[in-house]
Every structure is written in structure tokens, then in C-alpha cells.
Amino acid sequence: MSDRANVYRDQALNAAAEFLRVDTAAISDEERLTQAKWLANLMDSNFSIPGTPMRFGWDSVLGLFPGVGDVVTSAISLMIVHHAWQTKASPLVLGRMLGNVAIDFVIGLIPIVGDFFDFAFKANRKNARLLERHLERRVEKERASRARLSRV
């Protein structure tokens, strides 16, 4: 690897580490959603196959390492679930998110089949969308509540 490539890689890794180092108890919902979307993109659609619309991420790459890769990617996936838990998402939303992570983990353990499944099943993107919908619903409820209060 060239010196320039090493510098870029180091800068990217430092930026990612700084992004993830944020105290998650003190960040806003918008920052949580931004981080969840960033993780989902990194894990599920960071790379593309030239000439095709097909995208894949580190989940597919790390899934090539039997067992260990699936454990690592599932741990990263749980960060999105943690963000949802911090925003007080309903048990149903959290259950769906955990189900997505569990499906990705269990099927990912199956040699070859799991690798193709990781390429097609984007658990992190699904979970980021679930978090986004949860936050949108909460904002709508708050707006409706304020509108009722302003009419009184």
C-alpha cells in the first residue's frame, strides 16, 4: 500500500474513531440518527460493484471470516439498537431491530449461504429506517400535543 493510501486510511480510521467516541448519553436524537445512518451505510452499502447498482458493506466483507466476522458485525449492529433504546423506542421497535440483527447473525453463520444473505439482507439499513420512523412519529406526537395545548 502506498504512503498516500496509508495516510488516507489512517485519517478515515481516526475520523471514524472520533465519531464513535462520542458519549452516547449526551447526544441529540438527530446526532443518534446521523450516527445510525452512517453505521448502516458503512456496514451495508459502503462499496459498489462497478457498472451495477449493487452495493455491499463491511458486514458482507467481515462475514467472509466464519464466526468471528459475524460476531463483530453483530456487535456493531447492536450500536444502532442501542441508539433506539436511548431514544426510548417502543419494545416492538426494539424487538424488530433485535430480530433483524439475530436473523443476520444466525444465517450469516452458514458458510456460503450466509455470505450471499449478508449481501442481500441489509439489517443495519432496516434498523436505521426503524429508528428514523420512530423519531419521526415522536416528533409528530409532540407537534400534535403542542397544537392541542395552544388551542386551550
Side-chain angles (χ1 to χ4, degrees):
M1 193 178 281
S2 72
D3 290 337
R4 177 173 257 162
N6 284 333
V7 168
Y8 288 138
R9 185 198 71 218
D10 291 345
Q11 288 174 342
L13 289 173
N14 288 338
E18 184 62 31
F19 188 75
L20 293 172
R21 195 175 299 133
V22 174
D23 178 16
T24 62
I27 64 176
S28 70
D29 290 345
E30 292 80 20
E31 290 170 317
R32 283 181 197 292
L33 183 58
T34 298
Q35 191 174 76
K37 286 180 175 181
W38 180 80
L39 280 170
N41 180 59
L42 183 72
M43 297 304 291
D44 289 343
S45 56
N46 197 43
F47 309 108
S48 65
I49 297 175
T52 71
M54 298 193 306
R55 301 192 63 80
F56 63 98
W58 285 104
D59 190 6
S60 297
V61 174
L62 294 173
L64 295 173
F65 300 96
V68 174
D70 296 303
V71 170
V72 169
T73 59
S74 293
I76 293 169
S77 296
L78 289 174
M79 291 177 68
I80 297 172
V81 179
H82 175 73
H83 281 311
W85 177 73
Q86 289 285 75
T87 65
K88 309 232 184 315
S90 72
L92 180 63
V93 170
L94 293 172
R96 288 180 65 191
M97 293 175 99
L98 288 170
N100 287 336
V101 174
I103 289 168
D104 192 34
F105 175 73
V106 170
I107 296 180
L109 289 173
I110 303 168
I112 301 171
V113 172
D115 298 326
F116 285 109
F117 185 77
D118 277 341
F119 189 76
F121 187 75
K122 310 289 187 192
N124 298 297
R125 292 185 67 192
K126 291 175 189 297
N127 286 346
R129 280 193 300 271
L130 284 169
L131 174 58
E132 184 173 32
R133 277 190 244 134
H134 157 68
L135 293 173
E136 287 171 352
R137 275 185 247 134
R138 194 170 78 188
V139 167
E140 288 302 317
K141 285 181 185 177
E142 289 171 2
R143 282 185 188 148
S145 176
R146 278 185 291 211
R148 280 193 300 267
L149 287 174
S150 66
R151 287 187 224 146
V152 175

